[in-house]
Amino acid sequence: MSLAVKSIRNLNGHSIGPYQIHAGKSVPIVKGGEQTKMEEGEFFAIETFASTGNSCFIWQGIDLSFERDSSW
């Protein structure tokens, strides 16, 4: 069975600052998102998020943290 993989359009990469993982600027992963420009000397986490289901993330007040399963 083959499933289509789609970008999750409302999750983004982000800028990184001193002692700040999420420093304020977003990096959209789909066309048509935020148009803020990267400036020289800034650092960014370019994150891609994909799904075989819905292409939109719905926040339900759950703190998302992931751990690697030790059986891998």
Side-chain angles (χ1 to χ4, degrees):
M1 177 164 90
S2 172
L3 298 172
V5 176
K6 299 174 270 191
S7 296
I8 300 177
R9 64 183 179 271
N10 64 339
L11 293 178
N12 300 314
H14 51 84
S15 57
I16 300 171
Y19 309 104
Q20 266 189 310
I21 299 278
H22 297 95
K25 288 186 178 178
S26 292
V27 179
I29 61 172
V30 295
K31 191 174 186 176
E34 185 177 324
Q35 298 298 310
T36 302
K37 296 191 184 245
M38 294 178 180
E39 303 292 332
E40 185 176 340
E42 291 180 318
F43 295 91
F44 289 84
I46 305 301
E47 299 177 294
T48 56
F49 299 92
S51 173
T52 57
N54 191 344
S55 62
C56 186
F57 178 76
I58 300 170
W59 181 257
Q60 295 181 346
I62 301 167
D63 181 22
L64 298 177
S65 58
F66 300 94
E67 293 181 10
R68 183 175 168 204
D69 184 333
S70 62
S71 66
W72 290 6

Short mmCIF file of all heavy atoms in Angstrom, two decimals:
data_model
loop_
_atom_site.label_atom_id
_atom_site.label_comp_id
_atom_site.label_asym_id
_atom_site.label_seq_id
_atom_site.Cartn_x
_atom_site.Cartn_y
_atom_site.Cartn_z
N MET A 1 0.84 -1.17 0.00
CA MET A 1 0.00 0.00 0.00
C MET A 1 0.89 1.24 0.00
O MET A 1 1.89 1.31 0.70
CB MET A 1 -0.90 -0.01 1.23
CG MET A 1 -1.75 1.22 1.32
SD MET A 1 -3.12 1.08 2.48
CE MET A 1 -2.39 1.66 3.98
N SER A 2 0.50 2.23 -0.76
CA SER A 2 1.25 3.47 -0.87
C SER A 2 0.38 4.63 -0.38
O SER A 2 -0.79 4.72 -0.74
CB SER A 2 1.62 3.67 -2.34
OG SER A 2 2.17 4.93 -2.52
N LEU A 3 0.95 5.49 0.47
CA LEU A 3 0.22 6.64 0.99
C LEU A 3 0.90 7.92 0.55
O LEU A 3 2.13 8.00 0.53
CB LEU A 3 0.17 6.60 2.52
CG LEU A 3 -0.55 5.41 3.14
CD1 LEU A 3 -0.36 5.41 4.64
CD2 LEU A 3 -2.02 5.44 2.80
N ALA A 4 0.11 8.93 0.23
CA ALA A 4 0.67 10.23 -0.13
C ALA A 4 1.16 10.93 1.14
O ALA A 4 0.51 10.89 2.17
CB ALA A 4 -0.39 11.08 -0.81
N VAL A 5 2.32 11.57 1.05
CA VAL A 5 2.87 12.33 2.17
C VAL A 5 2.69 13.81 1.84
O VAL A 5 3.05 14.25 0.75
CB VAL A 5 4.36 12.00 2.38
CG1 VAL A 5 4.95 12.86 3.48
CG2 VAL A 5 4.53 10.53 2.71
N LYS A 6 2.12 14.56 2.79
CA LYS A 6 1.86 15.99 2.59
C LYS A 6 2.55 16.78 3.69
O LYS A 6 2.68 16.31 4.81
CB LYS A 6 0.36 16.28 2.65
CG LYS A 6 -0.46 15.56 1.59
CD LYS A 6 -1.93 15.80 1.82
CE LYS A 6 -2.43 14.70 2.73
NZ LYS A 6 -3.82 14.59 2.89
N SER A 7 2.94 18.01 3.36
CA SER A 7 3.48 18.91 4.38
C SER A 7 2.36 19.35 5.31
O SER A 7 1.24 19.61 4.86
CB SER A 7 4.07 20.17 3.73
OG SER A 7 5.16 19.83 2.93
N ILE A 8 2.66 19.44 6.60
CA ILE A 8 1.69 19.98 7.55
C ILE A 8 1.85 21.49 7.48
O ILE A 8 2.83 22.06 7.95
CB ILE A 8 1.93 19.44 8.96
CG1 ILE A 8 1.80 17.92 8.94
CG2 ILE A 8 0.94 20.06 9.95
CD1 ILE A 8 2.08 17.24 10.26
N ARG A 9 0.89 22.14 6.86
CA ARG A 9 1.04 23.54 6.44
C ARG A 9 1.07 24.56 7.56
O ARG A 9 1.54 25.68 7.37
CB ARG A 9 -0.04 23.90 5.42
CG ARG A 9 -1.44 23.85 5.96
CD ARG A 9 -2.45 24.16 4.84
NE ARG A 9 -3.80 24.09 5.36
CZ ARG A 9 -4.53 22.99 5.39
NH1 ARG A 9 -4.02 21.87 4.91
NH2 ARG A 9 -5.73 22.99 5.89
N ASN A 10 0.60 24.23 8.77
CA ASN A 10 0.61 25.23 9.83
C ASN A 10 1.67 24.97 10.89
O ASN A 10 1.60 25.52 11.98
CB ASN A 10 -0.77 25.41 10.43
CG ASN A 10 -1.29 24.17 11.14
OD1 ASN A 10 -0.84 23.06 10.88
ND2 ASN A 10 -2.25 24.35 12.02
N LEU A 11 2.67 24.14 10.59
CA LEU A 11 3.84 23.99 11.45
C LEU A 11 5.05 24.52 10.68
O LEU A 11 5.14 24.33 9.47
CB LEU A 11 4.06 22.52 11.84
CG LEU A 11 2.99 21.91 12.74
CD1 LEU A 11 3.32 20.44 13.00
CD2 LEU A 11 2.86 22.65 14.04
N ASN A 12 5.95 25.19 11.36
CA ASN A 12 7.05 25.89 10.69
C ASN A 12 8.38 25.62 11.35
O ASN A 12 8.44 25.21 12.51
CB ASN A 12 6.82 27.41 10.76
CG ASN A 12 5.56 27.85 10.10
OD1 ASN A 12 5.26 27.43 9.00
ND2 ASN A 12 4.81 28.70 10.78
N GLY A 13 9.45 25.94 10.62
CA GLY A 13 10.76 26.06 11.21
C GLY A 13 10.79 27.40 11.94
O GLY A 13 9.80 28.14 11.95
N HIS A 14 11.92 27.75 12.54
CA HIS A 14 11.95 28.97 13.35
C HIS A 14 13.36 29.48 13.55
O HIS A 14 14.33 28.75 13.38
CB HIS A 14 11.31 28.70 14.72
CG HIS A 14 11.89 27.50 15.39
ND1 HIS A 14 13.04 27.54 16.14
CD2 HIS A 14 11.49 26.20 15.39
CE1 HIS A 14 13.32 26.32 16.59
NE2 HIS A 14 12.39 25.48 16.13
N SER A 15 13.44 30.75 13.95
CA SER A 15 14.75 31.33 14.27
C SER A 15 15.19 30.83 15.65
O SER A 15 14.37 30.41 16.47
CB SER A 15 14.70 32.86 14.23
OG SER A 15 13.72 33.35 15.12
N ILE A 16 16.51 30.87 15.86
CA ILE A 16 17.11 30.43 17.13
C ILE A 16 17.97 31.58 17.64
O ILE A 16 18.76 32.15 16.90
CB ILE A 16 18.00 29.19 16.92
CG1 ILE A 16 17.17 28.04 16.35
CG2 ILE A 16 18.69 28.79 18.21
CD1 ILE A 16 18.01 26.86 15.91
N GLY A 17 17.81 31.93 18.90
CA GLY A 17 18.60 33.01 19.49
C GLY A 17 19.37 32.50 20.70
O GLY A 17 19.19 31.37 21.14
N PRO A 18 20.22 33.35 21.28
CA PRO A 18 20.95 32.95 22.48
C PRO A 18 19.98 32.55 23.59
O PRO A 18 19.11 33.33 23.96
CB PRO A 18 21.73 34.21 22.87
CG PRO A 18 21.80 35.02 21.63
CD PRO A 18 20.54 34.71 20.86
N TYR A 19 20.10 31.33 24.06
CA TYR A 19 19.26 30.78 25.12
C TYR A 19 17.78 30.75 24.75
O TYR A 19 16.92 30.72 25.62
CB TYR A 19 19.46 31.54 26.44
CG TYR A 19 20.92 31.65 26.81
CD1 TYR A 19 21.61 32.84 26.64
CD2 TYR A 19 21.62 30.54 27.28
CE1 TYR A 19 22.96 32.93 26.95
CE2 TYR A 19 22.96 30.62 27.60
CZ TYR A 19 23.63 31.82 27.43
OH TYR A 19 24.95 31.91 27.73
N GLN A 20 17.48 30.77 23.47
CA GLN A 20 16.10 30.73 22.98
C GLN A 20 16.02 29.78 21.79
O GLN A 20 16.55 30.08 20.72
CB GLN A 20 15.64 32.10 22.50
CG GLN A 20 14.92 32.92 23.50
CD GLN A 20 14.34 34.15 22.81
OE1 GLN A 20 15.05 34.86 22.09
NE2 GLN A 20 13.08 34.40 23.02
N ILE A 21 15.35 28.66 21.98
CA ILE A 21 15.18 27.72 20.87
C ILE A 21 14.22 28.29 19.83
O ILE A 21 14.43 28.17 18.64
CB ILE A 21 14.65 26.36 21.38
CG1 ILE A 21 15.62 25.74 22.36
CG2 ILE A 21 14.32 25.42 20.24
CD1 ILE A 21 16.76 25.00 21.76
N HIS A 22 13.13 28.89 20.27
CA HIS A 22 12.15 29.52 19.37
C HIS A 22 12.26 31.03 19.56
O HIS A 22 11.69 31.59 20.49
CB HIS A 22 10.73 29.04 19.69
CG HIS A 22 10.56 27.58 19.47
ND1 HIS A 22 10.68 26.67 20.49
CD2 HIS A 22 10.28 26.87 18.36
CE1 HIS A 22 10.49 25.46 20.00
NE2 HIS A 22 10.25 25.55 18.71
N ALA A 23 13.00 31.69 18.67
CA ALA A 23 13.34 33.10 18.89
C ALA A 23 12.41 34.09 18.21
O ALA A 23 12.63 35.27 18.31
CB ALA A 23 14.78 33.35 18.46
N GLY A 24 11.40 33.65 17.50
CA GLY A 24 10.44 34.63 17.00
C GLY A 24 10.09 34.59 15.54
O GLY A 24 8.94 34.72 15.18
N LYS A 25 11.07 34.42 14.65
CA LYS A 25 10.75 34.40 13.22
C LYS A 25 10.39 32.98 12.80
O LYS A 25 10.99 32.01 13.24
CB LYS A 25 11.94 34.88 12.39
CG LYS A 25 12.20 36.36 12.50
CD LYS A 25 13.29 36.76 11.52
CE LYS A 25 13.55 38.25 11.59
NZ LYS A 25 14.65 38.63 10.66
N SER A 26 9.39 32.87 11.92
CA SER A 26 8.95 31.57 11.41
C SER A 26 9.51 31.32 10.02
O SER A 26 9.72 32.26 9.25
CB SER A 26 7.43 31.51 11.35
OG SER A 26 6.89 31.51 12.63
N VAL A 27 9.72 30.07 9.70
CA VAL A 27 10.15 29.66 8.37
C VAL A 27 9.08 28.70 7.84
O VAL A 27 9.02 27.54 8.25
CB VAL A 27 11.52 28.93 8.41
CG1 VAL A 27 11.92 28.49 7.02
CG2 VAL A 27 12.58 29.81 9.04
N PRO A 28 8.19 29.19 6.97
CA PRO A 28 7.12 28.32 6.48
C PRO A 28 7.66 27.19 5.62
O PRO A 28 8.69 27.34 4.97
CB PRO A 28 6.24 29.27 5.66
CG PRO A 28 7.10 30.43 5.35
CD PRO A 28 8.15 30.52 6.41
N ILE A 29 6.97 26.06 5.64
CA ILE A 29 7.39 24.92 4.83
C ILE A 29 6.51 24.75 3.60
O ILE A 29 6.72 23.84 2.82
CB ILE A 29 7.46 23.61 5.64
CG1 ILE A 29 6.11 23.23 6.22
CG2 ILE A 29 8.50 23.72 6.73
CD1 ILE A 29 6.09 21.85 6.86
N VAL A 30 5.52 25.62 3.45
CA VAL A 30 4.68 25.60 2.25
C VAL A 30 4.64 27.00 1.66
O VAL A 30 4.81 28.00 2.36
CB VAL A 30 3.24 25.10 2.54
CG1 VAL A 30 3.24 23.65 2.97
CG2 VAL A 30 2.56 25.97 3.57
N LYS A 31 4.41 27.08 0.38
CA LYS A 31 4.34 28.36 -0.33
C LYS A 31 3.17 29.19 0.19
O LYS A 31 2.11 28.66 0.51
CB LYS A 31 4.16 28.08 -1.82
CG LYS A 31 4.34 29.27 -2.69
CD LYS A 31 4.28 28.84 -4.14
CE LYS A 31 4.59 30.01 -5.04
NZ LYS A 31 4.63 29.59 -6.43
N GLY A 32 3.39 30.50 0.28
CA GLY A 32 2.31 31.40 0.67
C GLY A 32 2.27 31.72 2.15
O GLY A 32 1.34 32.36 2.62
N GLY A 33 3.26 31.31 2.90
CA GLY A 33 3.30 31.58 4.34
C GLY A 33 3.87 32.95 4.65
O GLY A 33 3.92 33.84 3.80
N GLU A 34 4.33 33.10 5.87
CA GLU A 34 4.92 34.35 6.34
C GLU A 34 6.04 34.80 5.41
O GLU A 34 6.81 34.00 4.91
CB GLU A 34 5.46 34.12 7.75
CG GLU A 34 6.00 35.36 8.41
CD GLU A 34 6.44 35.09 9.84
OE1 GLU A 34 5.80 34.29 10.53
OE2 GLU A 34 7.46 35.68 10.25
N GLN A 35 6.17 36.11 5.22
CA GLN A 35 7.15 36.65 4.28
C GLN A 35 8.33 37.35 4.96
O GLN A 35 9.05 38.12 4.34
CB GLN A 35 6.46 37.63 3.32
CG GLN A 35 5.39 36.98 2.48
CD GLN A 35 5.93 35.90 1.58
OE1 GLN A 35 6.91 36.09 0.87
NE2 GLN A 35 5.31 34.74 1.60
N THR A 36 8.55 37.10 6.26
CA THR A 36 9.68 37.70 6.98
C THR A 36 10.98 37.22 6.36
O THR A 36 11.14 36.04 6.04
CB THR A 36 9.64 37.29 8.47
OG1 THR A 36 8.40 37.70 9.01
CG2 THR A 36 10.77 37.92 9.25
N LYS A 37 11.94 38.12 6.19
CA LYS A 37 13.22 37.77 5.58
C LYS A 37 14.26 37.40 6.63
O LYS A 37 14.28 37.96 7.71
CB LYS A 37 13.73 38.93 4.73
CG LYS A 37 12.82 39.22 3.57
CD LYS A 37 13.47 40.18 2.61
CE LYS A 37 12.48 40.51 1.53
NZ LYS A 37 12.82 40.08 0.26
N MET A 38 15.10 36.46 6.26
CA MET A 38 16.23 36.10 7.12
C MET A 38 17.29 37.19 6.99
O MET A 38 17.53 37.69 5.89
CB MET A 38 16.82 34.77 6.67
CG MET A 38 15.92 33.61 6.85
SD MET A 38 16.73 32.11 6.24
CE MET A 38 15.49 30.90 6.56
N GLU A 39 17.91 37.54 8.10
CA GLU A 39 18.95 38.56 8.10
C GLU A 39 20.31 37.88 8.31
O GLU A 39 20.40 36.82 8.93
CB GLU A 39 18.71 39.56 9.24
CG GLU A 39 17.35 40.25 9.19
CD GLU A 39 17.19 41.20 8.02
OE1 GLU A 39 18.21 41.75 7.55
OE2 GLU A 39 16.04 41.38 7.56
N GLU A 40 21.35 38.50 7.82
CA GLU A 40 22.70 37.98 7.98
C GLU A 40 23.01 37.82 9.47
O GLU A 40 22.70 38.68 10.29
CB GLU A 40 23.72 38.93 7.35
CG GLU A 40 25.12 38.40 7.37
CD GLU A 40 26.09 39.32 6.64
OE1 GLU A 40 25.67 40.15 5.82
OE2 GLU A 40 27.30 39.17 6.91
N GLY A 41 23.60 36.68 9.84
CA GLY A 41 23.97 36.42 11.22
C GLY A 41 22.91 35.73 12.05
O GLY A 41 23.16 35.34 13.18
N GLU A 42 21.70 35.57 11.52
CA GLU A 42 20.64 34.86 12.25
C GLU A 42 20.80 33.35 12.04
O GLU A 42 21.36 32.90 11.06
CB GLU A 42 19.26 35.29 11.75
CG GLU A 42 18.91 36.70 12.11
CD GLU A 42 17.54 37.10 11.60
OE1 GLU A 42 17.19 36.76 10.46
OE2 GLU A 42 16.82 37.76 12.37
N PHE A 43 20.28 32.60 12.98
CA PHE A 43 20.31 31.14 12.91
C PHE A 43 18.88 30.62 12.90
O PHE A 43 18.02 31.15 13.60
CB PHE A 43 21.06 30.55 14.10
CG PHE A 43 22.52 30.91 14.11
CD1 PHE A 43 22.96 32.05 14.77
CD2 PHE A 43 23.44 30.12 13.45
CE1 PHE A 43 24.30 32.40 14.77
CE2 PHE A 43 24.78 30.46 13.44
CZ PHE A 43 25.21 31.60 14.11
N PHE A 44 18.66 29.56 12.12
CA PHE A 44 17.31 29.01 11.98
C PHE A 44 17.32 27.49 12.07
O PHE A 44 18.28 26.84 11.65
CB PHE A 44 16.71 29.41 10.63
CG PHE A 44 16.36 30.86 10.54
CD1 PHE A 44 17.31 31.80 10.21
CD2 PHE A 44 15.07 31.28 10.81
CE1 PHE A 44 17.01 33.14 10.14
CE2 PHE A 44 14.75 32.62 10.75
CZ PHE A 44 15.71 33.56 10.42
N ALA A 45 16.25 26.95 12.60
CA ALA A 45 15.98 25.51 12.55
C ALA A 45 15.02 25.32 11.38
O ALA A 45 13.89 25.80 11.43
CB ALA A 45 15.33 25.04 13.85
N ILE A 46 15.51 24.71 10.32
CA ILE A 46 14.66 24.46 9.16
C ILE A 46 14.03 23.08 9.38
O ILE A 46 14.68 22.05 9.20
CB ILE A 46 15.47 24.49 7.85
CG1 ILE A 46 16.23 25.81 7.72
CG2 ILE A 46 14.56 24.25 6.66
CD1 ILE A 46 15.37 27.06 7.74
N GLU A 47 12.80 23.09 9.81
CA GLU A 47 12.12 21.85 10.17
C GLU A 47 11.04 21.55 9.15
O GLU A 47 10.31 22.43 8.74
CB GLU A 47 11.49 21.98 11.56
CG GLU A 47 12.53 22.25 12.63
CD GLU A 47 11.91 22.46 13.99
OE1 GLU A 47 11.19 23.46 14.15
OE2 GLU A 47 12.14 21.62 14.87
N THR A 48 10.98 20.31 8.76
CA THR A 48 9.91 19.88 7.86
C THR A 48 9.02 18.91 8.63
O THR A 48 9.50 18.09 9.41
CB THR A 48 10.48 19.19 6.61
OG1 THR A 48 11.30 18.10 7.03
CG2 THR A 48 11.32 20.15 5.80
N PHE A 49 7.76 19.05 8.44
CA PHE A 49 6.78 18.19 9.11
C PHE A 49 5.90 17.59 8.03
O PHE A 49 5.35 18.30 7.20
CB PHE A 49 5.90 19.01 10.07
CG PHE A 49 6.69 19.69 11.16
CD1 PHE A 49 7.16 20.97 11.01
CD2 PHE A 49 6.95 19.01 12.35
CE1 PHE A 49 7.87 21.61 12.02
CE2 PHE A 49 7.67 19.63 13.36
CZ PHE A 49 8.12 20.93 13.19
N ALA A 50 5.78 16.28 8.03
CA ALA A 50 4.99 15.60 7.01
C ALA A 50 4.01 14.64 7.66
O ALA A 50 4.21 14.18 8.79
CB ALA A 50 5.91 14.84 6.06
N SER A 51 2.95 14.35 6.93
CA SER A 51 1.91 13.46 7.44
C SER A 51 1.30 12.67 6.29
O SER A 51 1.23 13.16 5.16
CB SER A 51 0.82 14.29 8.14
OG SER A 51 -0.27 13.48 8.49
N THR A 52 0.83 11.50 6.59
CA THR A 52 0.06 10.74 5.60
C THR A 52 -1.43 10.96 5.84
O THR A 52 -2.26 10.42 5.13
CB THR A 52 0.37 9.23 5.69
OG1 THR A 52 0.10 8.79 7.01
CG2 THR A 52 1.80 8.95 5.31
N GLY A 53 -1.76 11.79 6.83
CA GLY A 53 -3.16 12.10 7.13
C GLY A 53 -3.49 13.52 6.77
O GLY A 53 -3.13 14.02 5.71
N ASN A 54 -4.14 14.22 7.69
CA ASN A 54 -4.54 15.61 7.49
C ASN A 54 -3.29 16.48 7.33
O ASN A 54 -2.30 16.26 8.00
CB ASN A 54 -5.36 16.06 8.70
CG ASN A 54 -6.04 17.38 8.49
OD1 ASN A 54 -5.70 18.13 7.58
ND2 ASN A 54 -6.99 17.67 9.33
N SER A 55 -3.35 17.49 6.48
CA SER A 55 -2.18 18.35 6.28
C SER A 55 -2.23 19.60 7.15
O SER A 55 -1.62 20.61 6.84
CB SER A 55 -2.06 18.73 4.80
OG SER A 55 -3.19 19.47 4.41
N CYS A 56 -2.95 19.54 8.26
CA CYS A 56 -3.04 20.66 9.19
C CYS A 56 -2.99 20.11 10.62
O CYS A 56 -3.62 19.11 10.92
CB CYS A 56 -4.36 21.40 8.95
SG CYS A 56 -4.54 22.90 9.89
N PHE A 57 -2.20 20.75 11.48
CA PHE A 57 -2.07 20.33 12.87
C PHE A 57 -3.14 21.05 13.69
O PHE A 57 -3.30 22.27 13.57
CB PHE A 57 -0.68 20.67 13.40
CG PHE A 57 -0.49 20.32 14.84
CD1 PHE A 57 -0.30 19.01 15.22
CD2 PHE A 57 -0.55 21.29 15.82
CE1 PHE A 57 -0.12 18.68 16.56
CE2 PHE A 57 -0.39 20.98 17.15
CZ PHE A 57 -0.17 19.66 17.52
N ILE A 58 -3.87 20.33 14.51
CA ILE A 58 -4.89 20.92 15.38
C ILE A 58 -4.41 20.80 16.81
O ILE A 58 -4.26 19.70 17.35
CB ILE A 58 -6.25 20.22 15.20
CG1 ILE A 58 -6.71 20.36 13.75
CG2 ILE A 58 -7.27 20.82 16.16
CD1 ILE A 58 -7.92 19.52 13.40
N TRP A 59 -4.13 21.95 17.44
CA TRP A 59 -3.65 21.99 18.82
C TRP A 59 -4.79 21.66 19.77
O TRP A 59 -5.85 22.26 19.69
CB TRP A 59 -3.08 23.37 19.13
CG TRP A 59 -2.56 23.47 20.52
CD1 TRP A 59 -3.16 24.06 21.58
CD2 TRP A 59 -1.34 22.92 21.01
NE1 TRP A 59 -2.39 23.93 22.70
CE2 TRP A 59 -1.26 23.22 22.38
CE3 TRP A 59 -0.31 22.19 20.43
CZ2 TRP A 59 -0.19 22.84 23.17
CZ3 TRP A 59 0.74 21.82 21.22
CH2 TRP A 59 0.80 22.13 22.57
N GLN A 60 -4.57 20.70 20.68
CA GLN A 60 -5.59 20.32 21.63
C GLN A 60 -5.11 20.48 23.07
O GLN A 60 -5.59 19.79 23.96
CB GLN A 60 -6.04 18.88 21.37
CG GLN A 60 -6.71 18.74 20.02
CD GLN A 60 -7.18 17.32 19.75
OE1 GLN A 60 -6.80 16.38 20.42
NE2 GLN A 60 -8.01 17.18 18.75
N GLY A 61 -4.15 21.37 23.28
CA GLY A 61 -3.68 21.65 24.63
C GLY A 61 -2.79 20.56 25.22
O GLY A 61 -2.60 20.49 26.41
N ILE A 62 -2.24 19.72 24.39
CA ILE A 62 -1.38 18.64 24.84
C ILE A 62 0.07 19.07 24.67
O ILE A 62 0.44 19.60 23.62
CB ILE A 62 -1.64 17.34 24.04
CG1 ILE A 62 -3.09 16.92 24.18
CG2 ILE A 62 -0.69 16.24 24.47
CD1 ILE A 62 -3.51 15.86 23.20
N ASP A 63 0.89 18.88 25.68
CA ASP A 63 2.31 19.19 25.55
C ASP A 63 2.96 18.07 24.74
O ASP A 63 2.96 16.92 25.16
CB ASP A 63 2.95 19.30 26.93
CG ASP A 63 4.42 19.66 26.86
OD1 ASP A 63 4.86 20.21 25.83
OD2 ASP A 63 5.13 19.39 27.84
N LEU A 64 3.49 18.43 23.59
CA LEU A 64 4.09 17.42 22.72
C LEU A 64 5.58 17.28 23.02
O LEU A 64 6.33 18.22 22.86
CB LEU A 64 3.91 17.81 21.25
CG LEU A 64 2.47 17.90 20.77
CD1 LEU A 64 2.46 18.36 19.33
CD2 LEU A 64 1.79 16.56 20.90
N SER A 65 5.98 16.12 23.46
CA SER A 65 7.39 15.83 23.60
C SER A 65 7.58 14.39 23.13
O SER A 65 6.73 13.55 23.34
CB SER A 65 7.86 16.01 25.03
OG SER A 65 7.13 15.18 25.89
N PHE A 66 8.67 14.16 22.45
CA PHE A 66 8.90 12.86 21.86
C PHE A 66 10.16 12.24 22.40
O PHE A 66 11.15 12.93 22.64
CB PHE A 66 9.00 12.99 20.33
CG PHE A 66 7.76 13.55 19.72
CD1 PHE A 66 7.62 14.90 19.48
CD2 PHE A 66 6.71 12.71 19.38
CE1 PHE A 66 6.48 15.43 18.92
CE2 PHE A 66 5.55 13.23 18.82
CZ PHE A 66 5.44 14.58 18.59
N GLU A 67 10.14 10.94 22.59
CA GLU A 67 11.33 10.20 23.02
C GLU A 67 11.53 9.05 22.06
O GLU A 67 10.58 8.50 21.53
CB GLU A 67 11.12 9.63 24.41
CG GLU A 67 11.01 10.65 25.50
CD GLU A 67 10.83 10.01 26.87
OE1 GLU A 67 10.99 8.78 26.97
OE2 GLU A 67 10.54 10.74 27.80
N ARG A 68 12.75 8.68 21.89
CA ARG A 68 13.06 7.51 21.08
C ARG A 68 12.73 6.26 21.86
O ARG A 68 13.09 6.13 23.03
CB ARG A 68 14.54 7.52 20.71
CG ARG A 68 14.90 6.40 19.82
CD ARG A 68 16.32 6.49 19.38
NE ARG A 68 16.67 5.24 18.77
CZ ARG A 68 17.87 4.77 18.67
NH1 ARG A 68 18.87 5.46 19.11
NH2 ARG A 68 18.10 3.62 18.11
N ASP A 69 12.03 5.35 21.24
CA ASP A 69 11.70 4.07 21.86
C ASP A 69 13.00 3.27 22.00
O ASP A 69 13.72 3.08 21.03
CB ASP A 69 10.72 3.32 20.95
CG ASP A 69 10.25 2.02 21.57
OD1 ASP A 69 10.99 1.43 22.36
OD2 ASP A 69 9.14 1.60 21.21
N SER A 70 13.31 2.81 23.21
CA SER A 70 14.58 2.11 23.44
C SER A 70 14.68 0.78 22.70
O SER A 70 15.74 0.21 22.60
CB SER A 70 14.77 1.89 24.94
OG SER A 70 13.72 1.08 25.44
N SER A 71 13.59 0.28 22.14
CA SER A 71 13.63 -0.99 21.40
C SER A 71 14.12 -0.79 19.97
O SER A 71 14.30 -1.75 19.24
CB SER A 71 12.25 -1.63 21.38
OG SER A 71 11.33 -0.85 20.65
N TRP A 72 14.35 0.46 19.52
CA TRP A 72 14.80 0.71 18.13
C TRP A 72 16.22 0.30 17.97
O TRP A 72 17.10 0.49 18.64
CB TRP A 72 14.64 2.15 17.76
CG TRP A 72 13.22 2.57 17.62
CD1 TRP A 72 12.10 1.84 17.90
CD2 TRP A 72 12.76 3.85 17.22
NE1 TRP A 72 11.00 2.58 17.69
CE2 TRP A 72 11.36 3.83 17.28
CE3 TRP A 72 13.38 4.99 16.83
CZ2 TRP A 72 10.58 4.90 16.94
CZ3 TRP A 72 12.60 6.07 16.50
CH2 TRP A 72 11.22 6.02 16.54
#
